[in-house]
Amino acid sequence: MSETSLQASPPAIHAAWLRRALSQRAAIMLLIALLPLALIMALGIGPVRLSPWDIIQALIGQAETARIDAIVWQLRLPRALMAGLIGAALGVAGALMQGLFRNPMADPGLVGVTGGAGLSAAIAILTAGTLYPMAWQNYMLPVAAFGGGLAITLLVQRLALVQGRTAILLLLLAGIALNAIAMAGIGMMSYLSDDRQLRDITFWLLGSVAGASWPKIALLLPFALLPLLLSPWLARALDALSLGEREAAHLGIAVERVKRMACLAVALAVGGAVAFSGIIGFVGLIVPHLVRLIFGPVHRKLLPLSGLVGAVLMLAADTVARSIAAPAELPVGLITSLIGAPFFLALLLRLRREIGL
């Protein structure tokens, strides 16, 4: 290599890094712009079409009619905010799960966390009015779903641990087995339920944000925001864990504490989502992969951007669910599954090619 080329290399490397940084910054700005756009679409599309001007006027308290004000503030805005919060929570939960287990296939649904939260929610629905007053149901559902999600997360992690390391095959097998047990339990709860309870349990199985309201959003906020607030503290630790647990410990990371905090954050996010919207699959799998493809694996960017993309995806999916079969509504869980299942198959084929099968 000549002296001239050696002198030219650092500026060339710097220019390439600058171009990459500028393109990522542009992509981040685009994602930030997509969020209010998705919100405007969610507020405007429905049996009564509202223009962006109608929406803005209603949001600032200057709606032209009381009907528009009621549509925006009582019907569509609570639903849109709940969809966005749940999407953000599931996106961050998926990124945390994949970082914790160091496996791109890890997902709250695939490893049984969603099923465990759903089973606990079904038990809470079935026992309302007997073990606790019916008026407490809105408060008991998130607590029960959180407890079920946390229990399954800790159990899967324990079953997949071999000589201090997480065995990926055991992780997936344990998740599949526990998810099957949870679904069998939900089926049993459905069999034992009355008509009202059966409708409520069916709601959890299909996934929907149709029951959104301002009191429910107030209850959902801590479950959705706490994982987002914990993610900056966990980002550096998850980057170190990607090197291996022993290497992370040498870098000064309290590995077991990080595992507990990550499990707590995942259980909070998934438990809150399941309690208020039911089982919504594949968001935690799709979103981190999309973010990782564009911005790389660094968790300092991956975690918050997964929340942002998750919110946009859920807003778009719920808008499609409300409008594709109008005046009827499809459960949003069906839309995310229709998007996520082909994505999961494509991921499997990609991994198959990478290992040469």
Side-chain angles (χ1 to χ4, degrees), residues 202-222:
T202 303
F203 166 82
W204 306 121
L205 292 177
L206 296 178
S208 174
V209 290
S213 64
W214 291 110
K216 288 183 179 180
I217 289 174
L219 291 172
L220 174 62
L221 272 175

Side-chain angles (χ1 to χ4, degrees), residues 2-324:
S2 66
E3 184 179 350
T4 305
S5 62
L6 282 173
Q7 292 175 350
S9 295
I13 294 172
H14 179 72
W17 176 86
L18 183 60
R19 286 194 298 270
R20 192 182 306 113
L22 289 175
S23 63
Q24 288 194 357
R25 182 172 297 181
I28 291 173
M29 296 303 295
L30 177 62
L31 286 176
I32 293 173
L34 281 177
L35 184 59
L37 178 62
L39 180 61
I40 292 294
M41 291 180 62
L43 295 179
I45 295 176
V48 178
R49 294 296 181 101
L50 300 179
S51 68
W53 177 249
D54 291 331
I55 295 168
I56 293 171
Q57 289 290 97
L59 291 176
I60 63 175
Q62 302 293 328
E64 293 184 3
T65 65
R67 183 189 184 197
I68 293 176
D69 186 76
I71 289 172
V72 171
W73 282 99
Q74 301 303 320
L75 298 177
R76 296 185 186 172
L77 186 57
R79 179 167 182 160
L81 291 178
M82 180 168 283
L85 285 172
I86 289 171
L90 292 177
V92 172
L96 286 171
M97 184 75 72
Q98 292 173 13
L100 179 63
F101 291 114
R102 303 188 297 280
N103 181 3
M105 305 293 288
D107 169 76
L110 293 177
V111 299
V113 181
T114 302
L119 175 59
S120 297
I123 294 172
I125 291 171
L126 194 66
T127 56
T130 55
L131 293 183
Y132 64 91
M134 184 67 69
W136 292 8
Q137 182 169 328
N138 285 339
Y139 303 96
M140 289 300 296
L141 276 176
V143 173
F146 164 69
L150 180 61
I152 293 295
T153 303
L154 295 174
L155 184 55
V156 167
Q157 185 184 22
R158 180 66 179 171
L159 291 173
L161 201 63
V162 178
Q163 296 180 351
R165 294 182 177 273
T166 301
I168 303 305
L169 179 60
L170 289 179
L171 164 71
L172 295 177
L173 291 177
I176 291 170
L178 291 173
N179 196 56
I181 293 171
M183 288 304 168
I186 292 174
M188 180 65 71
M189 296 300 105
S190 300
Y191 181 79
L192 296 175
S193 62
D194 57 29
D195 289 342
R196 181 194 62 80
Q197 293 167 339
L198 182 60
R199 285 195 300 271
D200 289 343
I201 292 174
T202 303
F203 166 82
W204 306 121
L205 292 177
L206 296 178
S208 174
V209 290
S213 64
W214 291 110
K216 288 183 179 180
I217 289 174
L219 291 172
L220 174 62
L221 272 175
F223 289 88
L225 292 182
L226 281 176
L228 293 173
L229 295 175
L230 284 173
S231 60
W233 181 80
L234 291 169
R236 176 178 173 269
L238 291 175
D239 286 335
L241 276 174
S242 65
L243 303 173
E245 293 185 9
R246 184 176 301 175
E247 290 78 4
H250 287 316
L251 292 173
I253 302 298
V255 174
E256 293 304 318
R257 183 189 300 175
V258 169
K259 287 182 179 180
R260 288 193 296 268
M261 295 300 293
C263 288
L264 176 65
V266 169
L268 277 171
V270 176
V274 170
F276 292 103
S277 68
I279 297 176
I280 297 177
F282 291 106
V283 175
L285 178 68
I286 299 172
V287 168
H289 275 284
L290 293 176
V291 176
R292 198 179 287 110
L293 286 173
I294 300 172
F295 300 100
V298 179
H299 286 86
R300 181 173 55 84
K301 292 182 180 179
L302 180 63
L303 292 174
L305 290 177
S306 293
L308 179 60
V309 175
V312 172
L313 177 62
M314 271 295 293
L315 279 169
D318 185 56
T319 303
V320 171
R322 289 190 294 107
S323 57
I324 194 171

